[in-house]
Amino acid sequence: MTDADPDTRTLVLLRHAKAEQGNDAADDAERPLSARGNADAAAAGAWLAHQGLLPDVVICSTARRTRQTWHGVAMGMTGSPPEGGPTGPRPTVRYEPGAYDAHPEELLSLVRTVDPAARSALLIAHNPGISLLSALLDPEGVNDEGLRTAELAVHRCSLGWGEWSRAGAPLTARHTARD
């Protein structure tokens, strides 16, 4: 993710793309993306690439639908599998079990662990935590519905990752892949 200001860190929050309906709560973490979800994930990746928002680090929940969302985003960003491609270097990808069903403060704690040398990060997680994290970072940028499936929220801050806090990273852009 490129920025005019070299001191600015960019965090993109992404709610996973649309998943198939599950039969019960025990199977929730294994729900796959729907056909629309796969298309929306690739469209989200294409938007990120078009905006020059290629992440240095990806933090992804371990749920099947978030892993599939990342794969689709990576395909959309690079036109190739998530191992890298023509539009930029391969990001460091961290699959974090703690991002599944996480509260916003728990997600913020994951953000604070991003490598200090990284300028940009993409966090792929679930509602309500991902929407509440966006609201925590910028209470003025909130809408009542929260993030829809495959919606991106771009936050920027001039502090190092370890210093990110409440109301400290303004929302600078939002995009829903199916728009």
Side-chain angles (χ1 to χ4, degrees), residues 9-129:
R9 304 286 191 293
T10 302
L11 173 65
V12 177
L13 304 178
L14 173 59
R15 181 179 173 197
H16 65 78
K18 181 79 174 161
E20 297 289 345
Q21 293 297 328
N23 294 332
D24 59 38
D27 293 337
D28 185 64
E30 291 304 316
R31 289 191 299 135
L33 291 185
S34 66
R36 186 184 100 195
N38 282 306
D40 288 349
W47 184 83
L48 288 170
H50 182 73
Q51 300 299 312
L53 296 171
L54 301 175
D56 298 321
V57 174
V58 176
I59 301 171
C60 185
S61 161
T62 55
R64 183 176 182 186
R65 61 191 175 274
T66 51
R67 290 180 285 119
Q68 289 178 332
T69 297
W70 163 237
H71 182 76
V73 166
M75 294 288 289
M77 284 189 318
T78 66
S80 64
E83 289 75 35
T87 59
R90 176 175 59 200
T92 300
V93 180
R94 292 176 25 203
Y95 294 100
E96 292 284 348
Y100 179 78
D101 203 25
H103 297 280
E105 289 287 353
E106 294 167 318
L107 293 173
L108 182 57
S109 291
L110 290 173
V111 170
R112 289 178 180 143
T113 66
V114 170
D115 181 345
R119 309 310 301 164
S120 58
L122 170 64
L123 173 60
I124 306 170
H126 311 265
N127 260 354

Side-chain angles (χ1 to χ4, degrees), residues 3 31 34-35 57 75 82 99-100 109 114 126 128 138 141 143-144 148 157 164 171-172 176-177:
D3 264 338
R31 289 191 299 135
S34 66
V57 174
M75 294 288 289
Y100 179 78
S109 291
V114 170
H126 311 265
D138 183 1
N143 74 20
D144 291 336
R148 300 185 313 176
C157 181
W164 281 50
L171 180 68
T172 60
T176 301

Side-chain angles (χ1 to χ4, degrees), residues 108 133-140 156-157 164-170:
L108 182 57
L133 175 58
S134 186
L136 183 141
L137 293 172
D138 183 1
E140 301 299 317
R156 292 206 161 105
C157 181
W164 281 50
S165 62
R166 290 178 176 267

